[in-house]
Amino acid sequence: MTNYILRQGTDAYRRLTLLAEAKWPSTSALLERLPVRPGMKCMDVGSGTGAVSLALARIVAPTGRVVGVDTDTLLLDLAREKAAEEELPAEFLEIDVTKSELPRGFDLVYARFLLTHLRSPLQALEKMRRSTVGGVIVVEDIDFDGHVCYPHCAAFDRYVELYKGAARSRGADPLIGPKLPGLLEAAGCTRVELEVVTPTFRRGEQKLVAAITMEHIREAVVGAGLASHGEVDDIVDELTAFARRSDTIISLARIFQAVGWG
């Protein structure tokens, strides 16, 4: 996906792992509400490190099956290794949802932080819906305007501005979250449900997500002429120092969790 603004491969692993840890409590609660149960067949589109795929596999085992699909071959290999280590019923396939159809016959199809990066998110959702008949489609994605940052931090404001600018320069949508229910309905889903969460932290490594993300959009930001390398350096340093303070509060972007039945 050439419009993806974040670094991939080895550089992406720490960020995605930290993000998965920060996000897991709210994703876990979402999956419990559905619920996911043993024997189900699930697909994770844009599986990244495989964190959600493997969690689903632990739930649906031993008779169920999980397929994770992504375009990052390094992350796919790492996910395969983890699945093999735990002897989980999960496989990982290299598939670009923007170019190819997805496998079919699933009870649940899931995507987290994928649609925001796509020029045609509706097309991807239509492919996801075709992958399930009478099953569930679950999507989580961002509204990048929605953050908690206390006290005020000018570097954080600039980070949000630059992220949105870089995404839009590639044809992506950093504010897609509120659009998810309508997109699911347009893709043919019914009984669409919605929750909104904003994972927020006073301490811990999760407070560094913003600083790490800023570093990982460096090339997209500078390439689009939105900021210089020097300014990016300054923002990363300021965000890191801000996160390390004990009196600060930082959240992830506001996340919309939408569920529809195919």
Side-chain angles (χ1 to χ4, degrees):
M1 295 179 292
T2 57
N3 51 324
Y4 191 67
I5 67 171
L6 290 145
R7 291 177 187 165
Q8 294 183 279
T10 305
D11 285 342
Y13 187 77
R14 181 193 175 202
R15 177 183 59 81
L16 291 174
T17 300
L18 185 59
L19 185 59
E21 292 171 353
K23 185 65 186 69
W24 177 242
S26 56
T27 293
S28 177
L30 169 63
L31 297 178
E32 287 175 3
R33 290 196 301 271
L34 291 175
V36 182
R37 59 189 180 277
M40 289 182 67
K41 296 180 180 179
C42 304
M43 179 164 56
D44 180 7
V45 186
S47 54
T49 62
V52 175
S53 301
L54 297 173
L56 286 169
R58 295 182 191 105
I59 298 170
V60 304
T63 57
R65 170 176 172 249
V66 176
V67 175
V69 304
D70 206 287
T71 59
D72 192 317
T73 55
L74 174 64
L75 297 182
L76 288 167
D77 285 341
L78 291 172
R80 290 185 188 110
E81 290 176 10
K82 291 180 181 178
E85 288 173 6
E86 294 190 46
E87 298 183 344
L88 292 171
E91 63 178 308
F92 294 88
L93 307 177
E94 183 181 355
I95 299 176
D96 186 341
V97 70
T98 67
K99 299 177 181 178
S100 303
E101 286 292 323
L102 296 167
R104 301 194 181 188
F106 292 89
D107 302 304
L108 182 146
V109 181
Y110 173 88
R112 184 172 72 183
F113 306 154
L114 169 70
L115 301 179
T116 182
H117 297 292
L118 305 183
R119 290 189 175 93
S120 301
L122 177 57
Q123 183 182 66
L125 280 174
E126 289 171 340
K127 292 178 181 180
M128 291 169 65
R129 185 188 60 78
R130 288 195 289 271
S131 293
T132 178
V133 178
V136 185
I137 298 174
V138 184
V139 288
E140 298 190 81
D141 229 312
I142 58 172
D143 172 10
F144 216 77
D145 271 338
H147 282 89
V148 176
C149 179
Y150 178 85
H152 177 259
C153 175
F156 196 92
D157 290 346
R158 183 63 171 149
Y159 153 67
V160 172
E161 178 185 3
L162 289 173
Y163 185 101
K164 292 190 296 182
R168 287 167 173 156
S169 75
R170 301 280 182 92
D173 185 355
L175 310 180
I176 198 170
K179 303 171 187 176
L180 294 181
L183 285 168
L184 281 171
E185 290 173 344
C189 294
T190 59
R191 292 172 51 202
V192 175
E193 300 175 358
L194 177 68
E195 294 284 344
V196 181
V197 296
T198 309
T200 305
F201 309 96
R202 291 185 60 219
R203 58 183 62 87
E205 293 298 296
Q206 290 86 352
K207 292 176 70 177
L208 291 170
V209 167
I212 294 169
T213 301
M214 184 68 244
E215 175 59 38
H216 285 199
I217 62 171
R218 173 189 293 272
E219 290 79 12
V221 164
V222 174
L226 301 172
S228 66
H229 281 292
E231 184 182 2
V232 173
D233 288 338
D234 290 342
I235 294 170
V236 171
D237 289 345
E238 290 177 39
L239 289 176
T240 301
F242 185 83
R244 295 296 189 196
R245 287 168 45 186
S246 62
D247 64 333
T248 60
I249 300 172
I250 305 178
S251 77
L252 305 183
R254 182 164 52 221
I255 299 162
F256 283 69
Q257 302 175 321
V259 180
W261 276 257

